[in-house]
């Protein structure tokens, strides 16, 4: 890595749809390597493949040995040190057989991930300031990640909870809701209320763990503030990363965050479906609520 600026990874997480994509784009432009198998949202699909597995996590959340093995494989591939021997491939083979190949609809996706693994060996990490990854679900693994990566920095992205409640992206609610005692309603009209519960509980937990486990290596980034005051927030992020000179000009970085069309969509919806406590939790997490008739 250039000048050995950072030894641990930069990790970007948050509830799906929070704006992690643009944060990852900024991190890439600043000069960090986020992987060579990314989707349009800059998700690191290697991490997705290894860890976005709710049934496995629920069975192994207290099994540090198994999770550590997965993180060892992930780090090895990301940092080009992975040895594709039978021993190192054991974890991956078990994933393929147990969690993916049992359902043929996932076979093509898994084969694509496997075919991309050798590409990591071709990366010259010395041309980057450091490495990291963006995968929204990484906040679920925050405790494990902080235990394994002693010098990691974590960026938690948070977006207005009421906008998130009415988002079409509810994958995390369905995948991880049970971790927070949230049942998925059969009635779609009640889904926003469950979604807001997930947003409240998962963000509070991520913020608590981030501050307790990482201290100054944790930063909370509000997506709404990023596009409203890009210079202030991007400069703050660069300071957090301890980067003295980004690879690209800052003025270009300031142009990247843009206000999405879905910003403020909650104003077009009935907020009476939420409890007073839920609204207060949104406010306590630093967001204003407009158009509330109570």
């Amino acid at each position: 890595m250039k000048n050995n600026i950072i030894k641990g990874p930069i990790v970007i997480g948050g509830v799906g749809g929070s704006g992690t994509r643009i944060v990852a784009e900024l991190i890439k432009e600043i000069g960090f390597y986020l992987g060579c198998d990314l989707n349009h949202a800059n998700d690191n699909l290697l991490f997705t493949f290894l860890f976005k597995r709710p049934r496995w996590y629920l069975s192994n959340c207290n099994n540090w040995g198994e999770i550590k093995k997965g993180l060892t494989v992930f780090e090895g591939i990301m940092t080009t040190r992975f040895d594709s021997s039978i021993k190192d491939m054991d974890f991956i083979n078990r994933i393929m057989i147990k969690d993916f190949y049992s359902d043929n609809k996932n076979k093509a996706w898994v084969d694509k991930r496997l075919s991309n693994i050798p590409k990591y060996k071709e990366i010259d990490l010395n041309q980057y300031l450091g490495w990291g990854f963006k995968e929204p679900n990484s906040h679920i693994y925050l405790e494990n990640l902080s235990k394994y990566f002693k010098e990691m920095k974590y960026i938690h992205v948070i977006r207005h909870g009421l906008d998130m409640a009415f988002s079409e992206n509810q994958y995390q609610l369905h995948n991880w809701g049970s971790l927070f005692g949230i049942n998925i309603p059969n009635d779609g009209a009640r889904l926003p209320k469950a979604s807001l519960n997930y947003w409240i509980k998962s963000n509070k937990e991520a913020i608590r763990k981030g501050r307790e486990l990482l201290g100054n290596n944790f930063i909370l980034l509000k997506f709404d503030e990023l596009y409203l005051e890009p210079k202030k927030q991007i400069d703050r992020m660069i300071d957090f990363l301890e980067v003295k000179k980004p690879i690209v000009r800052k003025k270009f970085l300031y142009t990247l965050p843009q206000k999405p069309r879905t910003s403020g969509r909650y104003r077009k919806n009935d907020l009476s479906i939420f409890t007073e406590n839920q609204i207060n939790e949104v406010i306590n997490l630093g967001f204003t609520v407009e158009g509330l008739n109570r």
Side-chain angles (χ1 to χ4, degrees):
M1 310 289 178
K2 284 189 175 182
N3 302 322
N4 294 317
I5 287 180
I6 188 166
K7 297 178 182 178
I10 305 297
V11 184
I12 306 161
V15 177
S18 293
T20 53
R21 180 194 64 80
I22 188 60
V23 175
E25 192 63 33
L26 289 165
I27 297 297
K28 286 166 59 180
E29 292 290 346
I30 288 169
F32 288 84
Y33 171 67
L34 297 186
C36 64
D37 187 10
L38 310 179
N39 62 12
H40 70 282
N42 285 318
D43 291 336
N44 184 300
L45 296 181
L46 175 63
F47 187 92
T48 302
F49 169 61
L50 294 175
F51 297 106
K52 189 181 176 181
R53 298 185 291 135
R55 286 180 300 175
W56 173 81
Y57 180 78
L58 289 171
S59 299
N60 291 281
C61 57
N62 295 315
N63 185 349
W64 171 237
E66 181 72 358
I67 292 177
K68 181 181 179 181
K69 177 61 178 176
L71 291 172
T72 301
V73 170
F74 177 71
E75 180 189 27
I77 296 175
M78 284 291 296
T79 57
T80 73
R81 298 195 303 267
F82 182 69
D83 181 3
S84 57
S85 66
I86 294 176
K87 179 181 177 181
D88 285 342
M89 285 295 291
D90 176 64
F91 187 85
I92 291 178
N93 288 332
R94 282 188 284 119
I95 293 174
M96 288 166 20
I97 295 170
K98 185 176 181 180
D99 288 331
F100 287 108
Y101 275 10
S102 60
D103 187 344
N104 287 329
K105 71 179 182 180
N106 291 314
K107 188 176 186 302
W109 186 86
V110 171
D111 287 343
K112 182 66 174 176
R113 306 288 74 78
L114 296 177
S115 68
N116 281 334
I117 288 177
K119 296 179 181 178
Y120 284 88
K121 283 281 190 181
E122 303 170 7
I123 303 299
D124 178 12
L125 292 179
N126 290 312
Q127 65 179 303
Y128 297 95
L129 298 178
W131 73 281
F133 59 95
K134 173 258 181 177
E135 220 287 6
N137 298 275
S138 60
H139 73 89
I140 297 294
Y141 289 87
L142 193 51
E143 187 170 353
N144 306 120
L145 290 167
S146 66
K147 184 176 181 179
Y148 184 85
F149 295 111
K150 302 299 184 183
E151 298 181 75
M152 87 170 198
K153 289 178 178 287
Y154 177 71
I155 301 172
H156 190 73
V157 188
I158 186 171
R159 184 176 176 181
H160 200 301
L162 295 178
D163 274 351
M164 296 293 290
F166 293 106
S167 170
E168 293 181 0
N169 183 348
Q170 299 297 337
Y171 296 113
Q172 282 198 25
L173 170 63
H174 287 85
N175 286 329
W176 309 110
S178 62
L179 288 177
F180 301 94
I182 300 171
N183 297 318
I184 311 301
N186 295 323
D187 180 5
R190 293 161 52 210
L191 190 63
K193 187 174 181 179
S195 175
L196 186 57
N197 268 339
Y198 178 81
W199 181 88
I200 292 167
K201 292 183 177 182
S202 64
N203 277 304
K204 287 178 69 174
E205 183 73 353
I207 293 168
R208 181 188 67 79
K209 286 183 176 179
R211 289 173 174 166
E212 289 181 2
L213 299 172
L214 299 171
N216 292 333
N217 281 337
F218 169 83
I219 188 173
L220 180 64
L221 190 62
K222 292 182 182 178
F223 174 64
D224 309 75
E225 292 180 351
L226 183 60
Y227 64 75
L228 288 173
E229 43 186 22
K231 182 181 186 302
K232 178 180 178 180
Q233 298 304 323
I234 290 173
D235 286 352
R236 174 172 167 252
M237 187 168 65
I238 289 174
D239 288 341
F240 169 73
L241 298 173
E242 299 179 85
V243 174
K244 295 181 180 179
K245 187 177 180 181
I247 289 178
V248 297
R249 292 174 293 120
K250 284 186 179 181
K251 287 184 179 180
F252 171 69
L253 295 176
Y254 300 153
T255 68
L256 294 181
Q258 299 291 325
K259 182 178 180 178
R261 290 177 296 176
T262 53
S263 177
R265 64 183 149 206
Y266 76 87
R267 300 187 189 98
K268 301 177 182 179
N269 291 275
D270 179 14
L271 302 186
S272 67
I273 63 174
F274 304 115
T275 66
E276 183 176 357
N277 182 64
Q278 284 181 303
I279 297 297
N280 288 336
E281 291 282 16
V282 173
I283 295 171
N284 290 338
L285 281 165
F287 297 90
T288 59
V289 179
E290 301 175 12
L292 189 64
N293 295 315
R294 289 192 184 276

